[in-house]
Amino acid sequence: MQGNILIVGATGQIGTELTLALRAKHGNNAVIASDIKMSEDPIFKDGPFEVFSVLDRPRMEAVIDQYNVKVVYQLAALLSATSEKYPEKAWDLNMNGLFHILEIAKTGKLDRVFWPSSIAAFGPNTPADDTPQFTIMEPTSIYGISKLAGERWCEYYFNKFNVDVRSIRYPGLIGYRSEPGGGTTDYAVDIFYHAIESGKYTCFLGPNTRLPMMMMEDAINATIGIMEAPKESVKIRGSYNLSGISFTPEELANEIRKHIPEFEISYAPDFRQGLADSWPNSIDDSRAREDWGWQHRFDLARLTSTMIEEIRKKLVVKS
Ligand code: AKB
């Protein structure tokens, strides 16, 4: 594919790792990172970085023209917990951010667009175990409502304007390079820092809250995988179910104790419990596997040992 890649929202949890992966694959100058403010993270020093808001369409379009961008990953969004606090801002950013990209793509300027959906697009009436690809949705959170609406926009722009937009419903993502912010599944990253630094963690979800989760490395492979798939293989133009593993805070704590035996966990569920309770326990992602060859690599044991090893290294470097 000719032309360059733009990552909007590049300094977030997914964007940071995607920037690294795409620059390793295509070269530093072929991948333009962008966000609403500059990042101090040295990761971003190796290639172009542009500061703009995804809501500023003329500026975004100017960046697309300037760098001859043909592929956009639109990752800028407020996550579930923050969206509940700022519903208007969440709706504006999560919807109009996508809308601006789709409108730019409609002009024929872009060859391909990626936009992330989430397990939050499901709701309390969705079958919770092995949630099928096509099922009752009815999300009850602002974030989930914006994700479901976004999925419908993506399919509409594909059908109506032939915009090659691709999407996956991410589960909770767990990585060590960048920390999440404002999500309900964030506990599964925070727990590792607390386990290593103090040996104690108070979880904002209850012990038996089972949620679909995934190691970031798997999520990045899925993202690049769907974007590199031939157009005809991507048969679902709303968003694909994607699954890695599912576990509860108690199960994760038990796995962490295999490495840090003295680790103690306590529970103080807050408003995020309601969000988690409305989401599936596990996901059937057979369509992603069949259509474009998705496979996950990390199980709970490998995820836990990798997180502990990498965060320990990171904390030594910092101290
Ligand atoms: C969140 O918790 O808000 C996100 C998500 C499940 O999309 N990680």
Side-chain angles (χ1 to χ4, degrees):
M1 192 171 293
Q2 300 288 308
N4 293 318
I5 298 170
L6 173 65
I7 305 178
V8 181
T11 69
Q13 194 199 7
I14 303 170
T16 304
E17 308 231 14
L18 191 62
T19 303
L20 278 175
L22 289 173
R23 283 187 174 164
K25 205 171 164 75
H26 299 282
N28 290 341
N29 289 331
V31 180
I32 297 89
S34 76
D35 217 311
I36 190 132
K37 56 180 195 297
M38 199 69 191
S39 168
E40 293 308 311
D41 193 325
I43 284 172
F44 294 103
K45 301 271 183 292
D46 295 333
F49 192 103
E50 291 291 335
V51 176
F52 65 84
S53 162
V54 68
L55 299 176
D56 183 350
R57 184 154 135 206
R59 168 92 177 103
M60 183 157 61
E61 205 160 348
V63 169
I64 287 172
D65 291 342
Q66 181 191 341
Y67 288 94
N68 185 30
V69 168
K70 292 288 169 200
V71 176
V72 175
Y73 293 76
Q74 197 315 74
L75 306 175
L78 291 193
L79 292 186
S80 56
T82 316
S83 294
E84 290 304 301
K85 291 188 184 149
Y86 308 105
E88 249 184 85
K89 194 173 166 197
W91 185 254
D92 186 28
L93 177 64
N94 295 6
M95 286 292 85
N96 286 322
L98 170 63
F99 191 62
H100 290 322
I101 294 287
L102 291 174
E103 278 292 301
I104 295 171
K106 187 177 126 183
T107 64
K109 255 181 204 176
L110 301 176
D111 293 338
R112 216 163 270 189
V113 172
F114 177 83
W115 177 79
S117 185
S118 157
I119 52 163
F122 298 112
N125 295 325
T126 303
D129 293 314
D130 277 335
T131 300
Q133 175 68 46
F134 301 108
T135 186
I136 300 167
M137 305 295 290
E138 299 179 7
T140 47
S141 66
I142 293 292
Y143 176 67
I145 295 168
S146 74
K147 288 297 177 191
L148 181 56
E151 290 186 11
R152 299 294 83 218
W153 275 119
C154 289
E155 192 181 277
Y156 183 87
Y157 271 72
F158 174 75
N159 287 335
K160 193 114 180 160
F161 307 115
N162 198 25
V163 169
D164 188 355
V165 53
R166 302 166 181 216
S167 175
I168 49 192
R169 292 173 179 149
Y170 288 122
L173 300 181
I174 301 165
Y176 50 85
R177 282 203 187 88
S178 58
E179 287 158 48
T184 302
T185 57
D186 295 8
Y187 92 82
V189 178
D190 296 345
I191 193 172
F192 286 101
Y193 287 89
H194 284 82
I196 292 166
E197 287 183 307
S198 69
K200 288 190 174 61
Y201 181 62
T202 303
C203 186
F204 56 76
L205 298 182
N208 302 318
T209 312
R210 183 173 301 283
L211 285 171
M213 297 281 188
M214 182 177 287
M215 187 73 191
M216 185 60 84
E217 205 171 308
D218 276 341
I220 297 297
N221 283 339
T223 309
I224 296 176
I226 191 172
M227 286 298 272
E228 288 186 344
K231 193 171 174 185
E232 59 283 3
S233 306
V234 184
K235 298 188 179 111
I236 293 170
R237 292 299 179 150
S239 191
Y240 275 92
N241 275 6
L242 193 75
S243 171
I245 42 182
S246 284
F247 55 76
T248 66
E250 192 64 15
E251 286 165 357
L252 180 56
N254 288 339
E255 194 61 40
I256 290 174
R257 276 192 206 104
K258 293 183 185 163
H259 304 262
I260 307 172
E262 65 284 7
F263 176 55
E264 284 171 27
I265 186 164
S266 54
Y267 298 94
D270 64 16
F271 74 100
R272 288 168 282 194
Q273 184 68 50
L275 297 173
D277 288 343
S278 75
W279 297 346
N281 302 327
S282 60
I283 299 283
D284 173 0
D285 63 356
S286 46
R287 285 299 305 268
R289 291 176 194 263
E290 279 159 28
D291 289 1
W292 43 273
W294 154 246
Q295 300 179 25
H296 77 281
R297 298 206 197 112
F298 281 79
D299 60 12
L300 181 57
R302 186 169 169 208
L303 178 150
T304 306
S305 59
T306 307
M307 286 296 285
I308 291 177
E309 193 183 321
E310 293 298 334
I311 293 172
R312 274 186 174 143
K313 277 193 226 154
K314 194 168 147 180
L315 295 176
V316 169
V317 171
K318 266 196 188 165
S319 62

